[in-house]
Amino acid sequence: MRTLLYRHRIQQLAAITGALLLAATPALPEAPLAAEPTLLQQNNIRRLMLTNTCAACDLEGVTLLEAHLIGADLRKANLRGANFTGSNLEGADLEGADLTGANFTGTFLTDARLVNTQLVGVNFTAAHLYNTNVQGANVANLNLTDAEIFN
């Protein structure tokens, strides 16, 4: 009797699990998935998060959503195609960095230094650019939709 009850319970669980798996349709990504960071990039991300410094490091294509990088030292870093959506880079030093194709949607860049940076194709949609120094930067094809720019 007990064995029959267990067998019935297992069959019920298998049916429910199968139904859930069939009902769960994977969502299609809206944008291509970012490549997995290399071991070097993972170490660079760790260093940046722990020390707030990663000058001249490779962070090409990494995703750092809503990161708190206030005053970060990212001078001469390779940030091509990096995604900083919703991050806070207030007072960050990105002098000489390559930000080509980077995404700064909704990012705070108050008092940030973007002196002599590559800003080609950067997305600054809804970004906060207050007192941001872009002297000598290569700016072309920027997306500044709804960006707040002051001084």
Side-chain angles (χ1 to χ4, degrees):
M1 176 79 167
R2 197 176 261 183
T3 306
L4 186 60
L5 184 62
Y6 285 132
R7 190 178 308 151
H8 180 67
R9 185 64 102 189
I10 290 171
Q11 288 172 343
Q12 283 180 327
L13 287 172
I16 291 170
T17 303
L20 287 173
L21 288 174
L22 287 175
T25 56
L28 296 174
E30 293 180 14
L33 296 174
E36 192 68 28
T38 65
L39 183 59
L40 175 63
Q41 289 174 322
Q42 290 173 18
N43 288 336
N44 286 339
I45 292 168
R46 248 184 247 110
R47 179 173 55 162
L48 177 61
M49 293 299 145
L50 291 172
T51 67
N52 214 28
T53 298
C54 201
C57 67
D58 176 23
L59 293 171
E60 181 172 355
V62 301
T63 298
L64 295 167
L65 304 179
E66 299 180 5
H68 295 279
L69 300 169
I70 298 167
D73 181 358
L74 289 163
R75 290 173 292 145
K76 297 184 180 178
N78 176 6
L79 300 167
R80 295 175 66 90
N83 187 351
F84 288 94
T85 298
S87 294
N88 188 343
L89 285 132
E90 185 175 339
D93 189 352
L94 294 129
E95 183 175 353
D98 187 350
L99 305 171
T100 303
N103 186 355
F104 289 95
T105 300
T107 299
F108 288 87
L109 289 155
T110 303
D111 297 319
R113 279 181 49 88
L114 301 175
V115 174
N116 299 319
T117 58
Q118 294 295 318
L119 295 174
V120 178
V122 173
N123 183 0
F124 286 116
T125 299
H128 307 275
L129 302 158
Y130 307 137
N131 301 315
T132 304
N133 187 347
V134 293
Q135 185 177 14
N138 182 4
V139 292
N141 300 319
L142 298 180
N143 183 349
L144 294 165
T145 306
D146 296 327
E148 294 180 11
I149 303 168
F150 177 74
N151 207 14

